[in-house]
Amino acid sequence: MNLHLELLSDRDRYTWDSMVKTNPHSCFMQSWTWADFKELQGYKTWRYGLFCGQDSTPECTSENLAGGCIFYLYPQLGGANILLAAGGAILSPEWAAMGMPLLLEAAEQLACEYSASFNTSIIALRIEPLWESKPQWLPADFVRSPADLMPTETLLIDLQLTPDQLLAQMQSKGRYNLRLSWRYGVTTEFRQDDAAIALFYDLFWETSQRQNFFGEPFGFFINLCQTLFPANMAEIAIASWQGETLAAILVIYWGDRCTYLYGGRNVKHPHVMASYAMHWSAMQRAKARGCKIYDFYGFTTEPNHPYFRFSRFKQQFGGAIAKTIGAYDYVFYDRLADTIIGLLEKL
Amino acid sequence: MPASLFIEHCPNGLAFYINGELQFHTEDEQIYHEYLVVPAIALAAKRFSDLSVSQDNSLNKGIRVLICGGGDGLAVRDVLRFPEVSSIDLVDFNPEVLNLAKTVFAPFNENSLSDRKVNIHCQEAFLFLSDRIQNIANPDDLYHVVICDFTYPTSPEETRVHSQEWFQLIRQVLHPQGILSDNAVSPDCNTLGFWCMYQTLWSAGMIAKPMQVCIPSFHQLGYGDWGFFLAANEQAITKAELANIHFPNGLRLLNLDSLLATFCFNEAIAEQRFTVNIHSQKSPQLLYYLLNHHPNIIESTDANIDFLALDDAQEINRLSQSWMRSLAIDPLRLESVAKLWLEQMQKSHPDFQKLLPVQNPYHTPKMTASWLGSVPQLLEQINLPRLLDRVITRGKDLPPQAIADLKQLLTKLQSGNQGEREERTDVALNRIGSETFQFSTSTKLLISLTVTMLVANLIAPDSVFAKGSTGFASSGNDTGFSWGFTGVIITTIGLTWLSNLYTDSDPK
């Protein structure tokens, strides 16, 4: 059997996405559309597919696609860069041990060629697969990253449960608040239009200021929604009460998972518990779209963690905590050495 | 580069965004375009009053205008207010924007792109000008007015059309008595970026006058007052000349008094113009200033400076003194940052914001502070003996003494117990605070490594902390050298210095 690495082109879009969606450790950040969005953000992307087969050059078909990785690079001339693979690499278990070295080789070659052509240096590859443990076959040179691109701990709701079962597994306070929101008549609508972006952003920005966390600018959400909406990969849910918009979230649909990525609410009418009605509706909608998991995207039980306050809210919905291994870096020592030599010559 | 176009339909019109940056809101875009267009064309109409448009409106007579950017057609609309204008070349690289101008924006730009005086070039502006210069056969081919109406630059490529080289190209296609009108950035929110553009214009040979205008929709988004430059190719623009220009009918806000007021700047803000470097393609400074704008550091005073009243010869004398500083310094480049680290290490209170400039539009000084506190974890990732080995093997062009220093460090790292290793390195390497401060190659290497790791981790917009993970590895098991290595680093670059740096930079 043979494994073959191929730089994918736009015609491979659906083949790639189908493979990523069915991989148990897949992530929307490895989707073709997400890569398009990141390009709008100024990133360069390289989309590699791993094909397996009997021949020395296996046919590039969806059946033969055994993995791959979309590499992201934010180029900065005269700087030092890290090649990123948020949510990657994607590897099917039987081919993982053989596939990873091929991807590494491609990344290192890419780093070498790009560094030489663009007067910059790519010193490392940072992967962030959604693995629950570090596999034996991962080369020992991969070391734990100083920072992650995604939360390593999250809370997952099993959408295969019936509504009654979902209610039953919620914490009693959460169930009470949810029913309260129903009694008050909080309504939720799901939108994919431009006007919803501004509505969402007002609430998101207000919340980021109030909670003192780092918030992405409006342009980020314009780019994100304008890329993901046409692909039917994202929606904005808006919760209203008596004509007033009280809360909004942005969810991503990918494979069997619906991920709550961003959200915000204003401080008006907290007693109507609009956020509860909204997340519940989002779960029901995700379920109707065929999702099996509602991912709260970030959770902690550590009181000092910046996510603790949000986590207490999320916990009201029950669910199970899931942990992944986080990001790992593979340092390209030759590239790093060349960078250091270049600096030593000028200092 | 792909662009995201976004139209927000509002009760009072529409707002248009490119890559998330507001381009105009129909409620007040007239203010922006009046200031960008009308003074320049009105000045040209006076200066070239002998160029009358012939009865048959021949395109070879009258004022010739070049608009770079401005694909929305709104600047063209205001140029067309002047019957003295015979032709307009509009250069915009984005066909989608041009298409919107002909459809969605047509009610607002009054179908300006369909006017027979308008020639549309869907092309990159730098290339257009380079080609144009090749085809200039006689003075009739020169433009009388050039209007630059570009989007706010957020990447190195986008700053090209604000470079010294760009304005030098413009000078070659502009009539000696011609006028340039240039859309800038906010003088109060991006003070240093604004003056960088100003200095760059002067350094390219233009005689530039800064302007600032309040545009409510820009203010609502926190953009501050908006800036423009009105510049002359060779003949300076004076207050007396402006006092004689003719304003077309139907303007919303612009009149002589409001125009003259736009050239007045608060003295504290104005004095900042001598502190910046010019922006060229070889030394692209503008992006640094735009990313590292540090708002609210300049306190306003009661005094104002009227730039129309300044002596131009004196101004260029003062500016030229600061141009010397601009040579080959780019604070976003690794080598400049590394040099700053070495300089700042000798100071008891280093400027941490200079040590690690903001690297991308989402990066903030607060993030820098956090990363400075994470230097030990960043360095623990690196297998230093392995790196040293690679540097020694690949650094054939390094001086022999430098190689010897590095070999000595490698030997020490590979030998003995940790205590012995630290003792030896402490003796071999520099001591912080020494009066005769000479950095060994080993220290330079460790500084270079620290800077490289920090910059690499901060360059991408994804390097944010808000994703909720503490991120840092809890053990050094993955790296063979872990805490022993940290010991070397601490000994080398100074625990006290680094920890003070972190404390000073802590936003809390």
Side-chain angles (χ1 to χ4, degrees):
Chain A
M1 293 288 269
N2 184 269
L3 205 55
H4 170 66
L5 194 66
E6 188 89 13
L7 202 52
L8 304 174
S9 65
D10 206 48
R11 66 185 152 80
D12 302 309
R13 175 186 202 110
Y14 298 105
T15 307
W16 170 260
D17 278 353
S18 303
M19 185 275 294
V20 177
K21 274 181 189 169
T22 51
N23 187 290
H25 306 293
S26 86
C27 176
F28 62 88
M29 290 187 184
Q30 281 291 309
S31 70
W32 202 272
T33 308
W34 189 263
D36 290 344
F37 156 61
K38 297 303 279 185
E39 286 194 351
L40 269 184
Q41 294 292 101
Y43 282 81
K44 290 190 175 299
T45 67
W46 288 270
R47 309 169 194 211
Y48 282 100
L50 274 167
F51 296 88
C52 62
Q54 298 287 352
D55 307 328
S56 59
T57 53
E59 199 183 341
C60 301
T61 63
S62 53
E63 295 79 37
N64 287 344
L65 192 58
C69 192
I70 300 183
F71 295 125
Y72 297 94
L73 178 77
Y74 193 78
Q76 179 79 286
L77 301 183
N81 298 58
I82 296 174
L83 201 57
L84 305 171
I90 303 286
L91 293 158
S92 62
E94 64 271 36
W95 294 103
M98 274 177 76
M100 196 68 222
L102 284 178
L103 283 170
L104 254 183
E105 196 182 312
E108 189 151 17
Q109 192 180 340
L110 185 65
C112 186
E113 289 169 4
Y114 192 88
S115 300
S117 303
F118 292 95
N119 187 27
T120 186
S121 54
I122 299 176
I123 59 164
L125 167 67
R126 175 167 299 161
I127 63 166
E128 199 175 46
L130 301 189
W131 299 333
E132 283 143 20
S133 60
K134 190 178 170 187
Q136 291 289 325
W137 48 261
L138 191 70
D141 284 338
F142 273 100
V143 294
R144 187 71 172 90
S145 291
D148 297 317
L149 302 170
M150 290 185 287
T152 52
E153 194 170 359
T154 189
L155 188 71
L156 304 178
I157 306 291
D158 182 359
L159 296 180
Q160 294 176 97
L161 301 176
T162 64
D164 283 344
Q165 287 170 323
L166 275 174
L167 278 172
Q169 56 102 55
M170 284 179 73
Q171 291 193 356
S172 57
K173 188 181 166 198
R175 205 162 41 240
Y176 173 79
N177 287 342
L178 177 61
R179 287 185 168 137
L180 206 56
S181 71
W182 290 342
R183 266 210 298 280
Y184 274 108
V186 172
T187 58
T188 308
E189 59 172 339
F190 291 83
R191 294 172 56 174
Q192 287 181 327
D193 58 299
D194 285 353
I197 307 171
L199 270 178
F200 162 81
Y201 190 71
D202 285 346
L203 293 170
F204 170 78
W205 186 247
E206 184 187 327
T207 306
S208 71
Q209 297 298 295
R210 189 174 63 238
Q211 303 283 2
N212 197 27
F213 68 79
F214 174 73
E216 284 82 347
F218 188 35
F220 172 89
F221 290 99
I222 291 175
N223 290 340
L224 184 136
C225 293
Q226 287 205 323
T227 318
L228 269 58
F229 282 174
N232 200 20
M233 234 180 102
E235 280 187 314
I236 286 172
I238 293 169
S240 308
W241 182 67
Q242 294 189 343
E244 272 193 276
T245 303
L246 298 183
I249 56 174
L250 191 147
V251 294
I252 307 275
Y253 303 107
W254 185 249
D256 62 5
R257 187 176 293 218
C258 171
T259 305
Y260 153 53
L261 203 57
Y262 294 100
R265 66 171 183 86
N266 68 23
V267 290
K268 286 184 192 170
H269 314 301
H271 62 287
V272 305
M273 302 291 166
S275 298
Y276 285 86
M278 184 170 58
H279 279 285
W280 177 263
S281 295
M283 288 175 202
Q284 302 312 312
R285 186 165 178 91
K287 197 174 157 75
R289 287 178 59 122
C291 294
K292 294 175 183 166
I293 298 165
Y294 188 79
D295 184 348
F296 267 110
Y297 199 68
F299 182 80
T300 184
T301 50
E302 292 173 36
N304 294 327
H305 196 286
Y307 263 24
F308 185 65
R309 196 185 303 177
F310 305 117
S311 299
R312 279 191 305 180
F313 163 74
K314 293 172 181 177
Q315 206 165 19
Q316 304 300 318
F317 288 89
I321 298 169
K323 289 182 183 175
T324 50
I325 62 167
Y328 274 73
D329 289 357
Y330 183 93
V331 179
F332 303 132
Y333 277 94
D334 282 353
R335 300 284 76 73
L336 182 58
D338 289 348
T339 307
I340 301 294
I341 291 164
L343 290 173
L344 289 177
E345 285 171 345
K346 288 166 189 158
L347 291 178
Chain B
M1 186 178 160
S4 153
L5 311 181
F6 178 70
I7 297 169
E8 186 181 2
H9 292 275
C10 319
N12 46 0
L14 61 86
F16 177 53
Y17 296 79
I18 297 181
N19 289 337
E21 296 289 346
L22 179 66
Q23 303 303 299
F24 65 81
H25 192 301
T26 53
E27 196 177 35
D28 58 13
E29 58 79 15
Q30 299 95 327
I31 302 173
Y32 172 96
H33 290 100
E34 282 174 8
Y35 281 92
L36 178 71
V37 170
V38 173
I41 307 287
L43 273 170
K46 274 282 173 203
R47 287 188 174 192
F48 303 101
S49 57
D50 55 326
L51 290 173
S52 58
V53 180
S54 62
Q55 287 297 323
D56 62 350
N57 278 340
S58 160
L59 295 181
N60 291 323
K61 295 289 181 183
I63 293 171
R64 293 162 48 78
V65 179
L66 169 66
I67 301 176
C68 301
D72 54 38
L74 296 164
V76 176
R77 174 199 63 199
D78 285 348
V79 175
L80 288 169
R81 289 175 182 276
F82 291 84
E84 298 91 335
V85 171
S86 61
S87 74
I88 302 167
D89 280 331
L90 173 71
V91 187
D92 195 303
F93 78 99
N94 193 323
E96 290 178 79
V97 175
L98 290 166
N99 188 44
L100 284 172
K102 292 171 186 168
T103 54
V104 181
F105 303 155
F108 304 102
N109 64 33
E110 298 169 8
N111 265 317
S112 62
L113 297 198
S114 304
D115 194 283
R116 66 177 196 86
K117 292 180 183 173
V118 180
N119 306 299
I120 299 169
H121 308 267
C122 190
Q123 197 179 351
E124 200 271 318
F126 221 103
L127 275 178
F128 176 85
L129 272 199
S130 306
D131 291 348
R132 190 80 204 171
I133 286 163
Q134 307 300 319
N135 296 319
I136 291 174
N138 59 60
D140 284 348
D141 294 328
L142 295 169
Y143 293 105
H144 302 106
V145 179
V146 175
I147 295 169
C148 294
D149 187 14
F150 293 116
T151 54
Y152 181 92
T154 56
S155 67
E157 302 87 68
E158 287 170 0
T159 62
R160 280 183 80 209
V161 287
H162 302 279
S163 64
Q164 190 184 42
E165 293 86 346
W166 166 253
F167 293 117
Q168 283 165 346
L169 280 183
I170 285 184
R171 289 199 70 203
Q172 293 179 61
V173 299
L174 188 60
H175 193 284
Q177 288 183 294
I179 303 289
L180 166 72
S181 181
D182 190 24
N183 158 38
V185 295
S186 171
D188 49 347
C189 287
N190 271 318
T191 305
L192 299 181
F194 180 77
W195 293 124
C196 170
M197 291 176 163
Y198 174 78
Q199 285 238 22
T200 303
L201 274 161
W202 278 91
S203 74
M206 305 293 296
I207 309 166
K209 304 290 178 188
M211 301 161 70
Q212 61 180 345
V213 179
C214 173
I215 301 167
S217 57
F218 281 22
H219 262 279
Q220 277 168 19
L221 287 174
Y223 292 0
D225 280 354
W226 204 248
F228 301 93
F229 296 109
L230 194 59
N233 202 356
E234 289 181 6
Q235 182 193 330
I237 299 160
T238 65
K239 190 178 273 188
E241 190 183 13
L242 283 170
N244 280 314
I245 61 173
H246 169 71
F247 291 91
N249 294 329
L251 296 180
R252 170 169 164 169
L253 196 72
L254 183 63
N255 56 46
L256 182 59
D257 288 342
S258 69
L259 175 62
L260 295 179
T262 62
F263 294 95
C264 293
F265 283 71
N266 185 275
E267 189 179 30
I269 288 179
E271 282 304 309
Q272 296 297 312
R273 70 193 186 278
F274 302 114
T275 67
V276 295
N277 298 331
I278 58 173
H279 171 70
S280 68
Q281 293 201 66
K282 282 183 190 158
S283 181
Q285 304 282 296
L286 180 57
L287 192 63
Y288 169 76
Y289 291 121
L290 296 182
L291 292 175
N292 294 274
H293 51 84
H294 308 314
N296 306 323
I297 55 169
I298 303 159
E299 283 189 27
S300 299
T301 62
D302 292 334
N304 280 331
I305 289 182
D306 181 357
F307 277 79
L308 287 174
L310 283 186
D311 180 308
D312 290 330
Q314 206 179 341
E315 180 74 353
I316 199 161
N317 272 342
R318 290 190 69 185
L319 290 172
S320 60
Q321 287 167 21
S322 60
W323 293 343
M324 297 303 291
R325 252 197 342 260
S326 299
L327 300 172
I329 301 168
D330 180 0
L332 291 180
R333 282 185 182 268
L334 264 182
E335 63 201 60
S336 297
V337 180
K339 279 177 187 164
L340 272 170
W341 273 68
L342 291 170
E343 281 171 28
Q344 298 274 316
M345 276 180 72
Q346 296 169 69
K347 297 180 180 174
S348 52
H349 297 290
D351 182 343
F352 82 95
Q353 288 186 332
K354 277 189 183 169
L355 282 174
L356 207 57
V358 170
Q359 300 276 338
N360 69 67
Y362 299 159
H363 172 186
T364 64
K366 193 175 174 184
M367 288 165 61
T368 296
S370 302
W371 278 100
L372 283 172
S374 309
V375 165
Q377 290 95 327
L378 279 172
L379 297 178
E380 268 179 44
Q381 273 197 296
I382 303 300
N383 183 328
L384 187 58
R386 185 171 170 186
L387 175 64
L388 276 169
D389 179 68
R390 301 314 300 152
V391 171
I392 291 164
T393 306
R394 299 171 77 85
K396 301 291 185 199
D397 293 334
L398 288 174
Q401 184 55 48
I403 296 288
D405 277 358
L406 297 177
K407 282 182 176 168
Q408 195 184 7
L409 177 60
L410 179 59
T411 307
K412 281 168 188 159
L413 288 171
Q414 288 171 331
S415 69
N417 59 43
Q418 183 179 320
E420 189 184 348
R421 216 161 44 217
E422 289 184 10
E423 189 186 338
R424 284 180 181 180
T425 49
D426 192 35
V427 172
L429 303 174
N430 316 106
R431 290 170 184 278
I432 306 301
S434 162
E435 285 184 12
T436 54
F437 208 88
Q438 290 292 316
F439 292 106
S440 71
T441 307
S442 304
T443 303
K444 286 179 184 172
L445 178 134
L446 292 165
I447 289 293
S448 300
L449 178 61
T450 307
V451 169
T452 302
M453 295 306 293
L454 280 165
V455 167
N457 275 283
L458 275 170
I459 266 182
D462 277 329
S463 53
V464 297
F465 289 146
K467 298 291 190 287
S469 169
T470 50
F472 297 104
S474 57
S475 87
N477 292 338
D478 288 325
T479 58
F481 226 67
S482 70
W483 292 107
F485 171 54
T486 304
V488 174
I489 296 295
I490 285 168
T491 312
T492 306
I493 63 177
L495 174 64
T496 309
W497 185 77
L498 200 60
S499 60
N500 282 344
L501 186 65
Y502 178 51
T503 309
D504 288 347
S505 68
D506 191 342
K508 292 174 226 164

